[in-house]
DNA sequence: CGAAGCGTTGAGTGCTTTCAATAGTTGTGG
DNA sequence: CCACAACTATTGAAAGCACTCAACGCTTCG
C-alpha cells in the first residue's frame, strides 16, 4: 500500500521519509522522522525522545514476502513501520488463515503479544518494507520512567481492539459490496493522513488477502471491483486504484439490509 | 450464563461465592474471593493484595438489563464480575449493534477504554449480576508500585485481541453450525474452569444475542439448536442446555468447507 | 518462451436469510 | 387470578447473495 501515488501536489510529509534521512545521514532520530506523530512518541518531552532514540534499532529492511515475526515466535521486539506495508494474520489448527489487518507507515506492530511471551499472529511484508525495531524489555523499562509511554502502549492496544470490533461488525452485518467499499475508504483515509493522495493509490496486497480480510471469496472481490468500475465509482487496473466518487462509495457502505432504523429499544433489552 | 446448573458433585469453588462471604461478613477481600485467580491479582504478594483491596469497591449489584457502562460514557472504572453475566456490544452510526462478547465471573471489563477516556462499547447485565468496581486512576497508581499489575492489565487486553481475532476467523470462515458448536464448547469450557458442570448449564443470553455474536440470523440459531438435538449431540429446552456428545460437537466445529489441508505454501506468499 | 501465479468472468449450486405464521413465555393490570 | 399484550422462540417456504467450480487472459520470472 505504501507505494501510493505521490500526488503531484503532496505535502511536506512526503519528502521526509527519504530525503531528510539520507541527507543528515549520520543518525536518524525520532524527532526528524516524518512519522513521529503516528508512531511511538506521543507527547514525549525532548529528554524522553532522546532516551527512546537510544533504544531503537533503526531501519531494518524486509523484503516482500519476508516475515517480521511469525506466530509462536518468542516475543522480544516491537516494530514500527517506516515505509512499505505489512499484513498480519493468524492461523488456526486446521491450517486456514485469517488476515487480521494491513499496516502502513507509522503503525506499531507486535504489541498484542505483550504478556504472552509468544506472538499470536504473523506479520509479513507486502512489499519492500523498512522498520524500526524496539526491544520490548528496554521499552518496558522506559515505561517506568516515562508515564506517557505506558499510556501510548495501552492506546495502541485499545485501538486494535476497537479496530477488531469494527471489523467484526463489518463481516457480521454488511453485504460484500459494503465491506469492500469500506475497506477502500479506510485505505483512502489512511493515505490522506500520511500526506498521500486519498483518491489515487496502489494496493500492495493481493485480491486474495483483501478477500481474506473481508471474509469473502477472491472471485467476489474481483467482481465487486468490476461493478464499482461499471458504476463509475472508481477505476481499477490491477493494483492501481483511482476513486472518482468518494460520496458514492460512502453510500455503498451504508447499504446494510436490516437497518433497525433510529427506532431504538429493539435489541437493547436483556434476554 | 452464570446460573449454571450447580452440578450436584461440584467443587469447592461453588460455595465460596456466597457462603464464605456471608459468614465472614465484615469485609470481603480478594484473598477469600473464589475468583481471585481469574480476576485482577495475578501473582501478587500479600502486601500487594492488601493495597489492591483498599482500592476496590465491592459488590455493586446490577439488575438484568441494566448497564455497567455505555458507549461514550467517560471511562473511570474497571469492573470485575463476581457473579452473573454480562454482554458487551458496540453500535455503529446506522444504529445496528454488534455483540462483541459474553462475560462470566472472574472477567475484567472496561479495560479496552484505557487511553481513550471514553468507553467504546457498552456492557449490559444479562441477569442479576454483582461486580467489583475498581477506580482506574487508583489502579493506575498501583501499576507503578506493583509491576505485575501492569503486566496483568496488558495481559487482559492482549487476550481480548486474541479472542477478537478468533471471533473474526470464525465468522469469516466457518459455516453456521460450526460457529454455534464452537460457541457452546467455549461456554462449556468456561464453566468447567469455574467449577461448574461443563455438560449442563443455562444460557443467560437470548437467541438474538447469540445470533448477533455469531453473525447469524436468529432463525438460523434456532434451527441449529434443533438440528443438534436431532443428531443427539445435545438437549436444549429454552435456556437449558445438556451436552451429550462433546466429541461430536468438536467434530462439527471442524466442518469447514475450504480446508487448504496441510498442503501449505498456499496463501503464505506475498501478493 | 513456457511455467506458475494472479486476476477476471461465467454458470450453477447452496447455505443462510427474509418473510410469515404459530406457539410458548413473561409481565402487567383489571 | 386470569386475560391480554409484548416479547422470545420455533418452524416452514421461498428467495438471494455469495460461494464453488471452471475456464481463460494477463503478468512475472526463470
Amino acid at each position: 500500500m505504501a507505494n501510493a501515488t505521490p500526488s503531484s501536489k503532496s505535502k511536506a510529509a512526503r519528502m521526509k521519509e527519504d530525503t531528510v534521512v539520507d541527507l543528515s545521514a549520520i543518525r536518524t532520530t525520532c524527532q526528524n522522522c516524518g512519522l513521529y506523530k503516528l508512531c511511538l512518541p506521543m507527547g514525549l518531552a525532548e529528554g524522553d525522545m532522546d532516551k527512546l532514540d537510544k533504544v531503537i534499532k533503526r531501519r531494518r529492511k524486509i523484503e516482500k514476502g519476508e516475515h517480521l515475526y511469525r506466530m509462536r515466535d518468542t516475543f522480544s521486539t516491537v516494530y514500527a513501520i517506516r515505509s512499505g506495508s505489512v499484513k498480519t494474520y493468524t492461523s488456526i489448527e486446521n491450517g486456514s488463515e485469517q488476515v487480521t489487518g494491513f499496516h502502513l507507515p507509522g503503525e506499531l506492530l507486535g504489541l498484542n503479544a505483550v504478556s504472552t511471551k509468544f506472538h499470536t499472529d504473523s506479520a509479513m511484508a507486502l512489499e519492500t518494507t523498512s522498520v524500526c525495531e524496539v526491544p520490548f524489555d528496554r521499552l518496558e523499562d522506559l515505561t517506568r520512567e516515562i508515564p506517557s509511554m505506558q499510556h501510548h502502549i495501552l492506546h495502541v492496544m485499545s485501538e486494535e481492539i476497537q479496530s477488531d470490533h469494527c471489523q467484526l461488525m463489518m463481516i457480521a452485518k454488511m453485504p460484500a459490496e459494503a465491506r469492500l467499499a469500506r475497506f477502500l475508504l479506510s485505505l483512502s483515509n489512511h493515505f490522506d493522513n500520511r500526506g498521500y493522495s486519498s483518491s489515487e493509490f496502489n494496493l500492495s496486497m493481493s485480491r486474495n488477502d483483501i478477500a481474506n480480510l473481508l471474509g469473502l471469496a477472491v472471485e467476489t472481490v474481483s467482481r465487486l471491483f468490476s461493478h464499482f468500475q461499471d458504476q463509475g465509482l472508481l477505476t481499477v487496473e490491477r493494483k492501481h486504484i483511482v476513486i472518482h466518487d468518494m460520496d458514492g462509495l460512502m453510500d455503498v457502505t451504508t447499504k446494510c439490509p436490516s437497518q433497525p432504523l433510529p427506532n431504538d429499544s429493539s435489541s437493547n433489552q436483556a434476554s
Side-chain angles (χ1 to χ4, degrees), chain A residues 56-71:
Chain A
I56 297 181
K57 294 182 202 160
R58 250 158 260 290
R59 295 198 135 212
R60 179 176 152 201
K61 181 157 278 182
I62 309 287
E63 292 302 326
K64 172 176 172 178
E66 282 187 84
H67 280 80
L68 261 64
Y69 56 83
R70 285 169 191 272
M71 206 161 129

Side-chain angles (χ1 to χ4, degrees), chain A residues 13 28-29 38 47 49 52-53 69 91-92 110 126 139-140 159 165 170 185 188 192 225 231 233 252 255 262 270:
Chain A
T28 316
T29 64
L38 298 168
M49 286 271 250
L52 178 61
D53 272 327
Y69 56 83
S91 24
I92 295 290
L126 292 168
L139 187 63
E140 210 169 15
E159 268 190 337
H165 285 176
M170 191 166 77
L185 288 174
S188 164
D192 199 35
F225 270 127
Q231 295 167 40
L233 295 175
V252 175
K255 276 184 185 170

Side-chain angles (χ1 to χ4, degrees), chain A residues 31-46:
Chain A
Q31 282 98 327
N32 61 29
C33 171
L35 298 164
Y36 80 98
K37 282 176 196 158
L38 298 168
C39 178
L40 262 180
M42 282 193 87
L44 295 188
E46 280 276 315

Side-chain angles (χ1 to χ4, degrees), chain A residues 1 60-69 81 83-89 102-103 109 122-131 204-205 209:
Chain A
M1 280 138 118
R60 179 176 152 201
K61 181 157 278 182
I62 309 287
E63 292 302 326
K64 172 176 172 178
E66 282 187 84
H67 280 80
L68 261 64
Y69 56 83
I81 306 179
S83 66
S85 56
V86 172
K87 77 166 173 180
T88 49
Y89 62 96
F102 300 118
H103 307 276
L109 288 183
S122 304
M124 193 181 76
L126 292 168
E127 60 193 312
T128 304
T129 295
S130 105
V131 298
S204 62
M205 69 293 289
D209 287 336

